[in-house]
Amino acid sequence: MSRKPIIAGNWKMNLLRGQAKDLFEGIKSFVKDYSAKELPTIVIAPVFTSISAVEAVKCDCGCGGTKISIAGQNCHWENSGAYTGEVSVEMLKDAGCDYVIIGHSERRQYFSETDEMINKKAKAILAGGLIPIICCGETLEQRESGVTDQHIASQIRAALSGISSEDVAKSVIAYEPIWAIGTGKTCDSDEANRVIAMIRNVVKDVAGAEAADSIRILYGGSVKPNTIAEQMSKSDIDGALVGGASLKADSFNEIIANTMKVVVSK
Ligand code: 13P
């Protein structure tokens, strides 16, 4: 089984439409020199209001839209209805998204998202033909009190509950220790790899060996151009979910370039 690396940029609540378009163009001008086969899977998650701005310039490079995919940063599990302020999977698909990030710690923390809601979202995303990027991670307090593995295993079991092995296999998980997000404190790559291997074991337990071997599990938390090569060299880390360093074309492109330099079969 070979797992194609993913480099995903989570732009969070940043960039106006013009800025989003410019940044996207900056990434496009880098990837145009490479084939989709050479590149990692590249996913960009702009704010909802900028999706159309990046979508409009996505497919004019002749790649048929295969080099850069777009993700929503959140979704609702219903298709439509009286849910003021929410966006459905069908709407994200209609806007040009292939992926949806769910369960980010910022949504869990500031918007009270529960494991149950994340599970409903994951099911809706897969039913709608999109791919969930399911985030998990521990607080510093949890890490210091030694409950990291237990906490993450329970987040993953809940998120994947009732999802078929086939759907689990095509999903993406992002391990993002909360204490490493936006702090400049990258998790030691051996430790990140250990946690990710643990997550893969949980996936094996709930969905079988084939799904565990196929699912791509990313690391997120202060990923920078100078950290990615070591992270990518680890056995179980299949890519990165990048926040701050995805907001500048230079640093994001360097992360992509450094990922391509690490040739490993996982
Ligand atoms: P930073 O890369 O800014 O630490 O953010 C990580 C993150 O939360 C991506 O989803």
Side-chain angles (χ1 to χ4, degrees):
M1 171 56 60
S2 100
R3 301 188 295 268
K4 189 176 171 70
I6 300 184
I7 299 298
N10 176 9
W11 290 356
K12 307 193 179 183
M13 197 173 75
N14 292 295
L15 309 175
L16 301 178
R17 285 166 57 86
Q19 297 168 316
K21 181 176 168 289
D22 287 350
L23 175 53
F24 198 86
E25 294 276 16
I27 300 164
K28 248 179 60 178
S29 69
F30 171 77
V31 303
K32 75 171 177 355
D33 295 334
Y34 302 91
S35 68
K37 199 164 172 261
E38 289 171 289
L39 290 163
T41 300
I42 301 169
V43 182
I44 297 295
V47 294
F48 293 140
T49 49
S50 291
I51 289 175
S52 60
V54 303
E55 167 62 16
V57 294
K58 186 176 102 161
C59 289
D60 63 4
C61 69
C63 80
T66 54
K67 288 187 183 175
I68 310 179
S69 298
I70 301 173
Q73 293 181 14
N74 179 36
C75 67
H76 196 275
W77 53 86
E78 295 291 347
N79 260 341
S80 61
Y83 301 100
T84 302
E86 292 293 313
V87 172
S88 75
V89 174
E90 195 177 29
M91 290 160 187
L92 289 174
K93 189 175 183 178
D94 185 47
C97 293
D98 294 313
Y99 294 79
V100 190
I101 297 172
I102 51 170
H104 194 282
S105 61
E106 288 148 15
R107 294 216 53 90
R108 293 181 193 253
Q109 182 182 354
Y110 304 128
F111 304 97
S112 308
E113 272 191 20
T114 63
D115 284 336
E116 193 192 352
M117 289 158 79
I118 292 155
N119 177 240
K120 284 198 215 171
K121 291 178 187 203
K123 285 176 175 160
I125 293 163
L126 288 158
L130 272 60
I131 298 173
I133 300 176
I134 304 164
C135 302
C136 62
E138 81 287 0
T139 61
L140 187 58
E141 203 183 0
Q142 286 167 326
R143 172 158 287 267
E144 285 174 347
S145 56
V147 297
T148 298
D149 291 15
Q150 177 191 329
H151 173 69
I152 288 164
S154 104
Q155 285 185 323
I156 296 303
R157 282 181 194 280
L160 300 181
S161 169
I163 297 178
S164 71
S165 298
E166 202 185 0
D167 277 348
V168 170
K170 56 178 117 125
S171 299
V172 177
I173 291 174
Y175 167 55
E176 299 204 307
I178 297 169
W179 48 270
I181 296 177
T183 58
K185 287 188 204 142
T186 317
C187 181
D188 173 75
S189 44
D190 282 327
E191 172 59 10
N193 191 56
R194 185 196 68 77
V195 176
I196 288 176
M198 185 278 298
I199 294 171
R200 206 176 293 288
N201 250 325
V202 174
V203 173
K204 186 175 173 190
D205 191 40
V206 300
E210 218 170 292
D213 206 25
S214 304
I215 193 168
R216 288 177 290 177
I217 311 182
L218 318 180
Y219 167 77
S222 297
V223 172
K224 299 279 181 289
N226 64 357
T227 67
I228 189 71
E230 188 182 319
Q231 288 156 343
M232 287 308 301
S233 72
K234 301 295 168 190
S235 62
D236 281 81
I237 302 180
D238 299 323
L241 181 55
V242 187
S246 72
L247 293 171
K248 291 267 186 309
D250 284 355
S251 49
F252 193 66
N253 291 342
E254 212 181 325
I255 289 173
I256 298 170
N258 291 345
T259 299
M260 285 191 286
K261 284 184 198 149
V262 185
V263 185
V264 274
S265 180
K266 299 186 191 179

